[in-house]
Every structure is written in structure tokens, then in C-alpha cells.
């Protein structure tokens, strides 16, 4: 057997994430957190520079 | 170092290694060595991903970077959370469905053997070089502390990492990284609190941040567009995104971390965990560097932070020149200290005119102090031509050893060694697994026993460890360690990412087109690195776009049948 011939698991069901009903909610949490941090850092730069 | 420091250092490291060996006892076949047993939960994956990326360089070099250049390095990480989301949506399910050992196996399924081998080789070259820098960083500490030769220290640390990795395999790497992350973050938070507590009584925390801001260190975000500026919002959000996509989506040292997950959901959550916490973690480390900078506005800093290099000059005819400059530096410091105290008083009085005057005075003295430091570097270079004159990587370790209380010095050194062990072991393991699965087992020795491949994996781990040690001996030629790692990565990552992007999203493009596009793209990136001043983060974008565009053109021009 070639190393690329591992058994293929075609349709593994993806569990729901915690807290949110869908993965989209988790993704928006991460992106929203990034947006919040950039705004916070911008405010810090403006206040202290 | 006191006895207590040695006990804390070796107690912490000994416990972590012993725990890893005990938990992974009995893993004796290639499946266990390369993949573990796919039982990892999301928090183990998340911490393992963070620990792999956070090398000793992160804890040594990042505070020094902030001391010298302020907070703006944080922008380098702005693309990372976006990359975590993209990888969770697209890459993770594909790797799971194909049940691969390494990321590059997917490329043979999608294209052909030569494209898989090219991507694996590009990874091996860049990660082999980066592993050398990862070993070099903690070697600085011991050589400075114990007065050992740097090369001997590199050799000792490199051999210890090799032994640890060969005995553990991937599961030991992941399991020990949880403890290592706890030590790292706990140690850094304590260090941050101690630095702030060492500020003079009349300087409150808010004053310290304000002083840092007035001295140009709170430059967290910069929206100006400058293609040659290494760190601004635009290079971070685009170049950083491409670098993170490539690092987490195609670098085996990271792919292996989340492929060991119990399910797709656990792997995704591990990646998103990293996307949430990475920027706050780096902010904390950079901010500690800024607080060390403020601390040295009220306490005399050494004129050159690498004491070992400085003491060599005392044994040469240039000793008097150095002493004269040290006296001059101390005089400037005393004036600057008074000016900074004036700045604090002006800030407390909330008087804009006074603040502006004090700021100008502080700035002028800071420029004078910097000029003296440059003169010192010139003297060191003249007296000992082999010495490196960049000392930013020594700023934090010099502060730890000189000012932290007994016990905490040992804990902070344990932080740095833990980081070195966690990232080096991941790197050596990834280099070995890629060498065995993508090159040796696929193209050189297709039919052999499991024991043979296990032995080969361990031999490759040792071999790559030796390569890393040799490269580490040349790492002192680099300007700044954390930049050196990222520059080496950026030279190769864009091309690798381009190959994977074509594989995922451009179904009509075939193996020959993407292979030659990748070769041309890598040459273009190497040209940009050696013959232009372009900031290195853009190499990721250029390499990736070149692969996508050129492979598209080749496929279109020559035709689907021929390619």
C-alpha cells in the first residue's frame, strides 16, 4: 500500500461548536475579536503617541 | 544564579520531560510516532499550536524588539485570526477526509509526485534553517550566563533537544506543550508585574504608559502606506495573512498539531482558540518589553546589553575608549533621567506646553544616548571584529539576570527553555515525518517494515537536529532573531501557499503548470530578497500570487493536454 492510499473517511459528520448553534458564529467571534483589538490598539496609539 | 534558581530551573524542566516520557510510554510503532493516537481535545491542540509557534525567540527577542522599536511589531499578527478561520473552513476538512500523515501527501492526490516532492523540499529547507535559529536563541542565554563558547552551548542544547524529540514522538510533543505553555505564560505575567513594581513610587502605571508613548514606544497601529515599512497595518493584514495561511495551513510542524485531533470539530476549535488568544499574548510580551524600556529610563541601563562581548573589549587596547564612552553614557543617562522625571511631572500637571518642552528635551537626550551606543558598537567591532553588535536580543535576559529576585530568575529561564523545547521538538518531528513520509517512504524505500520506518524517522530526527545545530552556529550573523526566523519563512512560505491555493481552488490547473509556476515564483522571491529593499512580509504575497498567476497562464497558454 502506498502512503497515499490510507482509507478515505468520506463524510465524517462535523459536530456543532460550543456556545453557538453554527460554526459561522464561532468564525464571527474570532473576526469580531480581531476588529475589537484593532480598534482598541488604534485608540491606544492615538491617546499615547 | 543562586541555588534556588537552579532548583527551580531544573525542577520545572525535569518535571515536564519526565511527565511527557511517562505519558507516552509504550508508543513503539510508526503510526504512534508520527500521528499519536488521534485523541487530542481542542484545548490541547490550541495550546500545542501556540507553544509550537512561541519559541524561545518569542520570549527573548520580542521584548527586545519592543524596547528598540516599540509595540508596532504586533501588526505582524493581524492576519493570523483571519487565517485561522479560512483554514478551519477549507483546509481542515480536506486533510481529515484524505486521512493524511503530512500536508504534502494531499498534493500528490491533487497533482503529481514531483509537485508533492517540491513542496516537501521547500518546507524542509526553510524549516531546517528556522530550526537552527530556534536552537540558537536559548544558546545565547547559557553562553552569556556561564561564559561558555556560543558554539559549544549550541551543540549541548541541540543534542538535548534531539534526545528529547527522538524519545517522545508527536504525542510527547503535544502533551508536554500544555505544561510548557502554563510555565511560559505564568512566568511572563509574573515578570510583567515585577517590572511594573520596580518603577519609582511616584511613577504610576498610567504614567509609565504615557512616558512610553511620549518616547515613541506605544506605536501599536500605523495605517500609513509604505511598501518598505516592515510593520504597518497593511503589511500585517495582507502579508501576515498569507504568512499565517502558509504557516498554519501547509507547514508540517503546525499541520501535525491539529491532525492529531479527535475530530474535525476539535481541530477547528484548537485553531480558533489560537486565533482568539495569539494577538493578546503577543501584546503582553511586547508590552513587557516596553515596561523594561520605561524601567531603564529611571535605572542606568548598560551601554551595551551583551556583557560578554563588552568584557572581551576590556582585554584589548580599546578598553579606555570603551570606558570613556561608558562614562559619557552615564552622564547622558543622568540628564535624561531628570528630563523624564520632568516629563512625568508635566504629565501629572496635565500642562501641554510643559509636556511638549519635556518631550523635546527627552528626545534630544535619547538621540545623544543612541549616538553613544552606536559609538560603543563601533569600538566593539573594531576591537573584536568577530563580535555581533546587535544587542536587542540580550535586553530582556540581561534585565532578568540583573534585577529579578532569586527563584524568579530560574522560573524565567525555565520559560525560555520550555519555549525552546516545545518549538524545537515540533520542528524536528515535522522535518523527520516529512522526510520519511514524503521523500524516503514515497520515492526511495517503498516496501519496508514498520520497524524500519520507525528507525528511519528517528534517524531523520537526529539528522535534521545536526543540520539545525550547524545552521545555529551561523545565526549570530542575523540582525534580530525573531525577524530572521520570519524572513527565512517568508522566502519559502508564499510559494508553498500558492501551490496549496491552486490545489484547493483552481481545479482546472494540473501538475506540470503548478510545478513550473512554483519554481519561477521561488526564483522571483529570491530575487526580491537579494536585490530589492522590499519588506519581507510582502514575499509571502508575491510568492503566492506568482504561483497562482503563472500556473494559470501556463495552463492556458500550453493547454490542458500537454500539461
Amino acid at each position: 500500500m502506498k502512503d497515499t492510499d490510507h482509507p478515505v473517511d468520506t463524510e465524517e459528520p462535523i459536530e456543532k461548536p460550543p456556545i453557538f448553534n453554527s460554526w459561522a458564529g464561532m468564525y464571527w467571534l474570532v473576526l469580531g475579536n480581531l476588529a475589537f483589538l484593532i480598534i482598541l490598539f488604534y485608540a491606544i496609539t492615538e491617546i499615547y503617541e | 544564579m543562586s541555588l534556588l534558581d537552579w532548583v527551580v530551573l531544573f525542577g520545572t524542566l525535569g518535571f515536564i520531560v519526565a511527565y511527557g516520557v511517562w505519558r507516552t510510554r509504550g508508543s513503539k510503532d510508526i503510526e504512534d510516532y508520527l500521528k499519536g493516537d488521534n485523541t487530542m481535545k481542542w484545548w490541547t491542540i490550541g495550546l500545542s499550536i501556540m507553544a509550537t509557534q512561541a519559541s524561545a525567540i518569542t520570549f527573548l527577542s520580542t521584548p527586545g524588539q519592543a524596547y528598540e522599536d516599540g509595540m508596532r511589531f504586533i501588526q505582524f499578527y493581524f492576519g493570523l485570526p483571519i487565517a485561522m478561520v479560512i483554514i478551519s473552513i477549507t483546509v481542515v476538512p480536506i486533510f481529515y477526509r484524505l486521512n493524511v500523515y503530512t500536508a504534502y501527501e494531499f498534493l500528490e492526490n491533487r497533482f503529481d509526485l514531483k509537485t508533492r516532492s517540491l513542496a516537501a523540499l521547500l518546507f524542509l529547507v526553510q524549516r531546517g534553517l528556522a530550526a537552527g535559529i530556534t536552537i540558537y536563541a536559548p544558546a545565547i542565554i547559557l553562553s552569556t550566563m556561564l561564559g561558555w563558547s556560543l558554539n559549544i552551548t549550541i551543540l549541548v542544547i541541540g543534542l538535548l533537544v534531539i534526545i528529547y524529540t527522538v524519545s517522545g514522538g508527536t504525542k510527547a510533543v503535544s502533551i508536554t506543550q500544555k505544561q510548557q505553555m502554563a510555565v511560559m505564560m505564568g512566568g511572563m505575567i509574573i515578570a510583567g508585574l515585577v517590572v511594573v513594581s520596580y518603577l519609582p513610587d511616584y511613577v504610576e502605571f498610567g504614567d509609565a504608559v504615557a512616558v512610553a508613548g511620549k518616547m515613541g514606544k506605544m506605536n501599536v497601529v500605523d495605517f500609513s502606506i509604505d511598501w518598505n515599512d516592515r510593520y504597518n497595518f497593511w503589511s500585517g493584514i495582507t502579508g501576515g495573512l498569507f504568512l499565517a495561511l502558509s504557516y498554519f495551513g501547509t507547514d508540517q510542524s503546525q499541520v501535525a498539531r491539529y491532525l492529531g485531533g479527535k475530530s474535525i470539530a476539535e481541530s477547528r476549535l484548537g485553531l480558533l482558540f489560537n486565533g482568539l488568544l495569539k494577538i493578546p499574548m503577543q501584546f503582553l510580551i511586547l508590552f513587557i518589553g516596553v515596561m523594561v524600556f520605561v524601567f531603564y529610563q529611571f535605572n542606568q541601563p548598560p551601554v551595551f546589553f551583551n556583557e560578554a562581548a563588552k568584557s572581551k573589549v576590556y582585554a584589548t587596547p580599546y578598553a579606555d575608549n570603551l570606558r570613556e564612552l561608558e562614562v559619557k553614557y552615564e552622564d547622558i543617562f543622568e540628564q535624561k533621567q531628570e528630563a523624564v522625571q520632568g516629563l512625568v511631572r508635566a504629565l501629572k500637571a496635565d500642562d501641554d506646553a510643559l509636556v511638549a518642552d519635556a518631550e523635546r528635551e527627552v528626545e534630544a537626550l535619547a538621540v545623544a544616548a543612541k549616538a553613544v551606543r552606536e559609538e560603543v558598537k563601533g569600538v566593539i567591532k573594531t576591537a573584536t571584529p568577530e563580535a555581533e553588535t546587535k544587542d536587542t536580543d540580550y535586553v530582556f535576559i540581561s534585565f532578568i539576570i540583573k534585577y529579578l529576585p532569586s527563584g524568579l530568575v530560574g522560573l524565567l529561564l525555565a520559560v525560555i527553555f520550555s519555549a525552546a523545547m516545545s518549538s524545537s521538538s515540533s520542528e524536528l518531528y515535522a522535518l523527520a515525518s516529512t522526510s520519511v513520509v514524503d521523500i524516503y517512504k514515497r520515492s526511495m524505500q517503498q516496501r519496508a517494515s514498520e520497524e524500519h520506518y520507525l528507525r528511519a524517522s528517528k534517524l531523520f530526527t537526529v539528522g535534521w537536529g545536526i543540520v539545525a545545530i550547524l545552521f545555529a552556529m551561523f545565526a549570530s550573523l542575523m540582525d534580530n532573531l525573531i525577524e530572521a526566523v520570519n524572513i527565512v519563512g517568508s522566502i519559502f512560505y508564499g510559494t508553498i501557499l500558492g501551490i496549496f491555493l491552486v490545489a484547493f481552488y483552481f481545479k482546472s490547473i494540473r501538475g506540470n503548470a503548478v510545478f513550473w509556476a512554483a519554481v519561477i515564483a521561488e526564483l522571483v522571491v529570491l530575487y526580491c530578497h537579494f536585490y530589492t529593499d522590499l519588506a519581507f512580509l510582502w514575499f509571502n504575497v508575491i510568492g503566492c500570487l506568482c504561483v497562482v498567476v503563472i500556473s494559470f497562464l501556463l495552463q492556458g497558454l500550453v493547454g490542458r493536454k500537454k500539461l
Side-chain angles (χ1 to χ4, degrees), chain B residues 141-374:
Chain B
I141 311 166
L142 271 185
S143 66
T144 307
M145 273 168 38
L146 305 176
W148 293 0
S149 142
L150 186 59
N151 284 349
I152 295 289
T153 317
I154 286 168
L155 201 62
V156 171
I157 292 177
L159 289 175
L160 285 175
V161 172
I162 290 169
I163 292 165
Y164 166 76
T165 312
V166 168
S167 65
T170 189
K171 198 173 172 187
V173 171
S174 294
I175 284 173
T176 49
Q177 281 173 334
K178 266 194 292 189
Q179 279 76 21
Q180 286 159 340
M181 271 305 285
V183 172
M184 286 183 230
M185 291 322 296
M188 288 306 282
I189 289 168
I190 293 171
L193 293 173
V194 170
V195 180
V196 173
S197 76
Y198 280 180
L199 294 172
D201 291 340
Y202 59 91
V203 179
E204 291 168 15
F205 177 71
D207 301 328
V209 181
V211 166
K214 294 298 174 196
M215 297 186 75
K217 303 299 176 189
M218 295 304 292
N219 49 349
V220 197
V221 180
D222 177 5
F223 285 104
S224 60
I225 297 171
D226 179 353
W227 297 100
N228 296 326
D229 186 5
R230 284 190 169 177
Y231 307 113
N232 58 38
F233 175 82
W234 306 108
S235 68
I237 203 90
T238 51
L241 167 65
F242 278 76
L243 179 59
L245 276 176
S246 194
Y247 177 54
F248 291 98
T250 72
D251 188 312
Q252 181 61 16
S253 64
Q254 284 294 358
V255 172
R257 300 299 106 220
Y258 55 83
L259 283 186
K262 197 176 174 186
S263 65
I264 295 177
E266 301 291 342
S267 297
R268 277 182 171 172
L269 286 172
L271 284 164
L272 297 177
F273 176 82
N274 184 42
L276 280 172
L277 295 185
K278 182 67 187 177
I279 293 178
M281 177 184 140
Q282 289 302 131
F283 184 89
L284 174 73
I285 298 169
L286 282 164
F287 191 71
I288 290 169
V290 168
M291 287 298 107
V292 171
F293 171 82
V294 175
F295 170 84
Y296 277 129
Q297 303 311 307
F298 300 98
N299 299 273
Q300 174 74 55
V303 68
F304 192 70
F305 284 94
N306 182 350
E307 292 290 341
K310 205 171 69 176
S311 55
K312 280 183 188 167
V313 179
Y314 291 135
T316 71
Y318 294 91
D320 287 342
N321 302 48
L322 182 58
R323 286 195 189 94
E324 270 175 39
L325 287 169
E326 282 186 296
V327 171
K328 195 174 167 186
Y329 191 67
E330 282 165 21
D331 287 344
I332 294 173
F333 168 74
E334 281 170 19
Q335 294 172 52
K336 184 152 68 80
Q337 189 185 26
E338 280 181 28
V340 173
Q341 286 167 353
L343 178 61
V344 173
R345 282 193 296 274
L347 286 165
K348 281 181 184 292
D350 204 16
D351 184 328
D352 288 346
L354 272 179
V355 169
D357 286 346
E359 202 178 336
R360 268 194 297 276
E361 192 183 355
V362 169
E363 196 179 333
L365 289 163
V367 169
K370 195 175 176 184
V372 175
R373 259 171 62 76
E374 290 305 317

Side-chain angles (χ1 to χ4, degrees), chain A residues 3-4 6-10 12 14-15 18 23 26-27 30-31 33-34 37-38 41-42 44-45 48-49, chain B residues 78 82 89 97 99 101 105 116 209-210 213-214 216 218 220-221 223 263 265 268-269 276 279 283 437 442:
Chain A
D3 55 316
T4 48
H6 304 307
V8 174
D9 185 4
T10 47
E12 184 182 333
I14 301 172
E15 300 158 35
W23 283 98
M26 286 298 296
Y27 301 144
V30 174
L31 297 177
N33 180 60
L34 171 65
L37 287 172
I38 291 171
F41 294 159
Y42 179 69
I44 290 172
T45 306
Y48 289 107
E49 276 285 277
Chain B
F78 282 176
I82 304 170
I89 295 170
R97 271 200 292 276
N99 194 24
Y101 280 97
E105 284 183 69
R116 170 186 179 177
V209 181
K214 294 298 174 196
M218 295 304 292
V220 197
V221 180
F223 285 104
S263 65
R268 277 182 171 172
L269 286 172
L276 280 172
I279 293 178
F283 184 89
V437 174
R442 180 67 190 90

Side-chain angles (χ1 to χ4, degrees), chain B residues 55 122 134 214 263 407 458 479 563:
Chain B
S55 63
L122 287 174
T134 312
K214 294 298 174 196
S263 65
K458 293 190 171 186
D479 277 357
L563 288 167

Side-chain angles (χ1 to χ4, degrees), chain B residues 93-147:
Chain B
I94 292 175
F95 284 165
Y96 262 88
R97 271 200 292 276
L98 294 174
N99 194 24
V100 291
Y101 280 97
T102 72
Y104 317 109
E105 284 183 69
F106 162 69
L107 295 177
E108 185 173 357
N109 282 353
R110 171 67 180 82
F111 297 122
D112 51 27
L113 175 59
K114 68 176 181 302
T115 309
R116 170 186 179 177
S117 303
L118 175 68
L121 283 172
L122 287 174
F123 165 73
L124 290 173
V125 171
Q126 74 88 7
R127 188 45 63 188
L129 298 179
I133 302 171
T134 312
I135 289 175
Y136 170 75
I140 302 171
I141 311 166
L142 271 185
S143 66
T144 307
M145 273 168 38
L146 305 176

Side-chain angles (χ1 to χ4, degrees), chain B residues 501-514:
Chain B
L501 280 188
V502 171
F504 287 135
Y505 301 114
F506 298 90
K507 301 291 181 195
S508 63
I509 296 174
R510 296 191 178 177
N512 280 343
V514 80

